[in-house]
Amino acid sequence: MKKITKTQVVTILLIIGWMVWEYYVWQWSKTEVGAVIRVDLIFIVPIILIMVIISILQLLKSRK
């Protein structure tokens, strides 16, 4: 098995950070009366998806 790359480490850290962020937003949204519109997801989800795809491609490339 190959050593984990910096991109994969950043991807893992982004996912952990996103989970923490989601927890805090979830706690905050309980205090709101109206609908909560999550504009932050427009930026967060594509970045995480791109990083996950790059990390998976690196894993597949290193296995060959």
Side-chain angles (χ1 to χ4, degrees):
M1 181 134 210
K2 299 275 181 170
K3 196 169 123 179
I4 192 167
T5 65
K6 291 178 185 177
T7 304
Q8 293 165 348
V9 170
V10 169
T11 302
I12 292 169
L13 291 174
L14 279 173
I15 291 172
I16 292 170
W18 179 57
M19 292 168 66
V20 171
W21 173 255
E22 282 297 314
Y23 176 75
Y24 283 114
V25 170
W26 178 62
Q27 292 294 326
W28 166 78
S29 68
K30 287 194 230 177
T31 63
E32 294 298 308
V33 176
V36 176
I37 299 173
R38 299 285 310 274
V39 178
D40 61 323
L41 295 178
I42 293 172
F43 301 103
I44 295 171
V45 172
I47 291 171
I48 290 178
L49 282 176
I50 290 169
M51 293 301 290
V52 167
I53 290 170
I54 292 171
S55 295
I56 290 172
L57 290 175
Q58 282 183 344
L59 281 173
L60 294 175
K61 185 179 176 184
S62 69
R63 289 188 180 187
K64 290 184 180 182

